Amino acid sequence: MTQKPQEDFDRSVEDAQAWMKVVQEQLQLNDNTQGPRAALEARLRETEKICQLEPEGCVKVELVLRAAEALLATCREGQKPEILARLRDIKCQWEETVTYMTHCHSRIEWVWLHWSEYLLAQDEFYRWFQKMVVALEPPMELQLGLKEKQWQLSHAQVLLHNVDNQAVLLDRLLEEAGSLFNRIGDPSVDEDAQKRMKAEYDAVKARAQHRVDLLAQVAQEHEQYREDVNEFQLWLKAVVEKVHSCLGRNCKLATELRLSVLQDVAKDFSRGEESLDRLEEQAAGVIRNTSPLGAEKISGELEEMRGVLEKLRVLWEEEEGRLRGLLQSKGACERQIQQLEVELGEFKKGLQRVAQEGLEPVVKTATEDELVAHWRLFSGTQAALASEEPRVDRLQTQLKELVTFPDLQSLSDSVVAAIQEYQCMKGRNTRLHNATRAELWQRFQRPLNDLQLWKALAQRLLDITTSLPDLPSIHTFLPQIEAALTESSRLKEQLAMLQLKTDLLGSLFGQERAAALLEQVASSVRDRDLLHNSLLQRKSKLQSLLVQHKDFGVAFDPLHRKLLDLQARIQAEKGLQRDLPGKQVRLLRLQGLQEEGLDLGTQIEAVRPLAQGNLSHQHKVDQVSSDQQALQRTLEFLYAGGCCSGLLWWR
């Protein structure tokens, strides 16, 4: 009675144990996180498949439970403890198997996920690393000035700060790599890989730090140079003010005190030279780290400061020498004053002579010869005033030498007034000279402008008279052409006169401008000659057309009347004849009319040459010729009809 349930229970227990043994063996084969990522992924897939077999195991355990229930229901009481013990063993084995399945798969999955997160973080780190390598790869660019160098340093500091910020991520990566290596033992995360990553980061950080240090040194060097330059410029400004305080009329110091101040200034020049030399040595280092344009600016600044210092030294030497000369010789000063007074008197006499020659503007109604005479007068005045330039320079030089003496104020005012009068006369003469020359230029341009207007008129007359249809038009435009030819002759005379003034034009406007004007005149003369000849030809043509109008009328009117007479006579011959003699007479008359018609055609063709060049005449000749030909065809038809009717009558 219990044998079959016992067998079912034993078989289900054996089957479940065998299934769990196979599963545990498979788990033991895959329960390993060591090795490369591909192997770990394969084991992860295998454990996932094993976990998917859990329902199958549940079924087998459930079969054991059912078999146990059936067996317990039929077995003796003494067998139940054994059965329950085996049942507990099966349950414990199942729980261990399920736990093992879950833990094995979870452990492998956790390592795989941990590795994946590490790889993502590592990729992010290396993307940053490559970006930073690219940013630090280009060499340091030379900058224009201090502000640009400070901007460049600030940018490099930002890059270094970025590198420092990545240290936290690197430490976390290295920590994760060590943890992974303990679990997977893969060479991609071993100590050598960690050291390489750390070395690469340290290299980038060292490069960023080196760039910051270098740019900081460059900026600091330029900043120190700029401070020294500003300090030197302040010193230079103070020395310039001190020297200028000893110069000019506004200085109230005595000559001896001025000389003492200048001697004190001389002690500062040596210190200034030493400071400028040190600045040039500093600038050499700054220029090496500055762009070409910035280096050029620094060099120019140094040259400018040295130039100011040299000019100041020259000014100091000149002023000191002048003051020493003043102290050494009062008599020399008096002689200079006398010489200046003599020079000033002669200069004023020269200005009076120039003023007497006249500096009045030219009236608008002046002739060309008067304009040329005034221009020559102004040119002579200009030369006379130019000859006074050396005297003006001497007066100014002497005035500068004596300007420090306050008791010579009236003499200085006289010199200044004379020089101002000279400048006014010179400016007025220059304006009159230029105005006269400009007026002459307009006068010489006037024939050319008139010629341009005449050319437009002549061309319009030529275009209009290309084909004149009737006699009134010829009578209208022929006088206009004759007037244009008269104007052309007048313009040619004016242009010819202008071509004879080569020397005058050269002296007035210069050889280049005069040559251009004469070339324009020559070109205009050639254009005028062409249009003039065309107008002459057109005049001859119109005059011949007038003659042709008279000859054509004399020859054409009789032919037209003869044509009308023939048409009337032919019209009269179109009636019927009663007898043969009448028809024969009509044939004779028609024969005569045919001969007259042929003769008329010959006369018309003889008149045709008289109509050439006149569209109206040609049209009249063509119309008469067409009527004559139509008349001739009518005669031939009538003659042929008359011949046929006479032959029939005869028969």
Side-chain angles (χ1 to χ4, degrees), residues 235 265-277 313:
W235 171 85
V265 170
K267 299 176 183 178
D268 294 335
F269 280 126
S270 58
R271 293 196 297 271
E273 288 284 352
E274 294 174 359
S275 299
L276 190 56
D277 291 339
R313 180 187 292 276

Side-chain angles (χ1 to χ4, degrees), residues 159-328:
L159 293 180
L160 179 60
H161 183 66
N162 190 358
V163 174
D164 291 336
N165 290 338
Q166 290 296 320
V168 178
L169 176 60
L170 177 65
D171 293 339
R172 191 163 61 249
L173 280 175
L174 295 177
E175 182 181 352
E176 294 294 330
S179 176
L180 273 175
F181 182 69
N182 292 332
R183 293 180 179 275
I184 64 177
D186 191 75
S188 62
V189 291
D190 62 3
E191 292 184 1
D192 292 338
Q194 297 173 30
K195 290 179 180 179
R196 284 196 302 273
M197 189 183 302
K198 185 68 166 61
E200 290 172 346
Y201 171 80
D202 292 340
V204 168
K205 182 176 181 180
R207 187 181 300 177
Q209 185 65 52
H210 174 72
R211 174 166 292 200
V212 168
D213 295 340
L214 182 60
L215 291 176
Q217 180 182 354
V218 169
Q220 184 178 3
E221 184 181 27
H222 199 134
E223 185 176 6
Q224 183 61 46
Y225 167 76
R226 176 50 52 195
E227 291 177 357
D228 294 342
V229 167
N230 292 336
E231 183 180 354
F232 179 79
Q233 288 178 342
L234 289 175
W235 171 85
L236 189 61
K237 182 180 179 181
V239 174
V240 169
E241 291 176 353
K242 187 181 291 186
V243 172
H244 285 175
S245 67
C246 300
L247 303 177
R249 296 181 179 181
N250 296 327
C251 182
K252 304 301 182 181
L253 299 176
T255 303
E256 294 82 358
L257 189 55
R258 289 188 190 182
L259 189 58
S260 176
V261 173
L262 290 177
Q263 288 174 349
D264 293 337
V265 170
K267 299 176 183 178
D268 294 335
F269 280 126
S270 58
R271 293 196 297 271
E273 288 284 352
E274 294 174 359
S275 299
L276 190 56
D277 291 339
R278 286 196 300 271
L279 282 177
E280 289 177 345
E281 293 176 1
Q282 284 181 265
V286 174
I287 286 174
R288 282 195 298 270
N289 297 313
T290 306
S291 66
L293 185 59
E296 183 180 352
K297 184 178 179 181
I298 292 173
S299 300
E301 185 179 41
L302 288 172
E303 291 177 2
E304 183 179 358
M305 290 188 295
R306 184 168 291 280
V308 172
L309 188 61
E310 290 299 326
K311 289 180 180 179
L312 193 61
R313 180 187 292 276
V314 172
L315 182 62
W316 167 79
E317 291 176 350
E318 292 178 352
E319 185 65 15
E320 186 186 34
R322 190 183 69 82
L323 292 176
R324 289 185 183 277
L326 288 175
L327 292 176
Q328 290 174 359

Side-chain angles (χ1 to χ4, degrees), residues 15-136:
D15 190 15
Q17 288 177 340
W19 183 87
M20 286 187 286
K21 182 179 180 182
V22 171
V23 168
Q24 289 179 359
E25 289 175 354
Q26 291 178 355
L27 289 173
Q28 288 175 359
L29 289 175
N30 292 283
D31 190 9
N32 182 16
T33 59
Q34 300 290 319
R37 184 173 174 80
L40 184 65
E41 290 180 354
R43 289 194 292 272
L44 179 63
R45 289 192 296 272
E46 289 298 326
T47 57
E48 185 177 3
K49 292 178 182 178
I50 292 172
C51 289
Q52 292 173 356
L53 296 176
E54 183 179 351
E56 182 180 350
C58 288
V59 171
K60 292 185 180 297
V61 173
E62 184 67 27
L63 291 176
V64 172
L65 293 176
R66 290 180 182 179
E69 289 177 1
L71 181 59
L72 288 172
T74 60
C75 72
R76 296 187 300 272
E77 289 295 330
Q79 293 178 334
K80 288 183 179 180
E82 180 182 358
I83 295 171
L84 293 173
R86 292 181 65 184
L87 187 60
R88 284 193 298 271
D89 290 340
I90 289 296
K91 288 182 178 179
C92 289
Q93 291 179 13
W94 171 245
E95 290 176 358
E96 291 177 357
T97 302
V98 171
T99 302
Y100 191 15
M101 290 167 58
T102 303
H103 287 180
C104 181
H105 177 70
S106 299
R107 183 166 52 255
I108 294 174
E109 185 178 26
W110 183 87
V111 173
W112 183 83
L113 291 173
H114 190 191
W115 200 348
S116 299
E117 293 294 331
Y118 169 79
L119 291 177
L120 290 175
Q122 188 185 44
D123 289 342
E124 181 181 355
F125 174 79
Y126 274 108
R127 282 196 298 272
W128 167 86
F129 178 80
Q130 292 298 329
K131 182 179 179 182
M132 191 58 61
V133 168
V134 171
L136 296 174

Side-chain angles (χ1 to χ4, degrees), residues 319-494:
E319 185 65 15
E320 186 186 34
R322 190 183 69 82
L323 292 176
R324 289 185 183 277
L326 288 175
L327 292 176
Q328 290 174 359
S329 177
K330 290 287 186 180
C333 177
E334 293 177 357
R335 288 193 298 271
Q336 287 182 354
I337 293 173
Q338 293 176 359
Q339 183 180 356
L340 178 59
E341 290 175 347
V342 172
E343 192 85 18
L344 180 60
E346 294 178 356
F347 181 62
K348 288 183 176 180
K349 291 179 181 179
L351 293 181
Q352 290 176 357
R353 286 195 300 270
V354 171
Q356 291 174 358
E357 293 178 359
L359 290 175
E360 297 299 328
V362 184
V363 297
K364 293 292 185 180
T365 57
T367 63
E368 182 180 315
D369 293 337
E370 290 175 346
L371 286 172
V372 172
H374 277 85
W375 178 81
R376 296 186 189 279
L377 175 61
F378 295 146
S379 297
T381 303
Q382 189 176 36
L385 291 173
S387 65
E388 293 292 332
E389 284 285 351
R391 191 190 301 274
V392 173
D393 295 338
R394 290 195 300 271
L395 287 173
Q396 290 176 339
T397 302
Q398 294 173 8
L399 184 61
K400 290 179 182 179
E401 294 175 354
L402 300 174
V403 73
T404 56
F405 295 93
D407 54 343
L408 298 179
Q409 185 65 39
S410 60
L411 180 59
S412 300
D413 294 341
S414 299
V415 173
V416 171
I419 292 175
Q420 289 178 347
E421 183 181 358
Y422 166 78
Q423 296 295 344
C424 291
M425 293 178 64
K426 186 177 178 181
R428 179 175 176 78
N429 182 74
T430 301
R431 290 193 298 272
L432 293 174
H433 184 268
N434 293 337
T436 305
R437 182 167 57 183
E439 180 64 26
L440 284 170
W441 177 262
Q442 293 180 358
R443 294 284 182 92
F444 293 148
Q445 285 284 336
R446 193 171 297 165
L448 294 174
N449 297 333
D450 293 343
L451 181 62
Q452 293 299 322
L453 298 175
W454 176 85
K455 285 167 61 178
L457 174 63
Q459 188 62 49
R460 187 171 64 84
L461 286 174
L462 289 174
D463 294 339
I464 293 174
T465 58
T466 300
S467 175
L468 293 177
D470 51 12
L471 186 61
S473 298
I474 296 176
H475 284 296
T476 299
F477 289 103
L478 185 59
Q480 296 183 19
I481 292 177
E482 292 174 347
L485 289 171
T486 303
E487 178 65 12
S488 173
S489 300
R490 186 186 69 81
L491 290 173
K492 181 178 181 181
E493 181 180 355
Q494 290 183 352

Side-chain angles (χ1 to χ4, degrees), residues 2-15:
T2 62
Q3 184 176 0
K4 187 175 186 305
Q6 182 70 41
E7 291 176 356
D8 292 339
F9 177 71
D10 293 339
R11 186 170 55 253
S12 63
V13 169
E14 291 174 358
D15 190 15

